[in-house]
Amino acid sequence: MGFVRKLPHQLVESFNATLEEVAFSDFLIHVLDASQPNVMEFYNTTMRVLTDLGADAKQMLVVFNKVDKVEDPASLANLRNHFPMPSWFPCKLALGWSS
């Protein structure tokens, strides 16, 4: 489920039914672009939406993508301090999923 910031009001209602499906999920994967300077703002925005939907207490895996594109080592260190157990992926990593 992707959340877009500053979504035009006329589109918000179109997404309501889709967003409400999150409440029925057993597990959420929250993917964040670590290279974005506003990554914490994006995280907080998503968490506010999940709270509004009553889905903020669901089991969640936080995944940071594009960690190899983070230019400021202090930014990455701050993310690692705030999220001690996330998954970290460089943007060029190919994943092979198996059962």
Side-chain angles (χ1 to χ4, degrees), residues 19-65:
L19 292 175
E20 289 170 358
E21 291 296 319
V22 171
F24 300 110
S25 299
D26 294 323
F27 183 80
L28 301 173
I29 301 174
H30 191 167
V31 180
L32 294 160
D33 181 346
S35 69
Q36 287 294 317
N38 298 336
V39 64
M40 285 305 299
E41 183 181 340
F42 298 155
Y43 172 80
N44 291 329
T45 298
T46 301
M47 292 308 297
R48 277 192 300 275
V49 171
L50 292 174
T51 299
D52 291 346
L53 295 170
D56 56 313
K58 299 249 180 216
Q59 286 189 319
M60 185 181 313
L61 172 65
V62 177
V63 177
F64 284 96
N65 190 19

Side-chain angles (χ1 to χ4, degrees), residues 1-4 7-22 49 53:
M1 175 72 49
F3 294 106
V4 180
L7 193 64
H9 256 346
Q10 61 269 26
L11 292 180
V12 171
E13 297 224 4
S14 300
F15 285 102
N16 278 343
T18 303
L19 292 175
E20 289 170 358
E21 291 296 319
V22 171
V49 171
L53 295 170

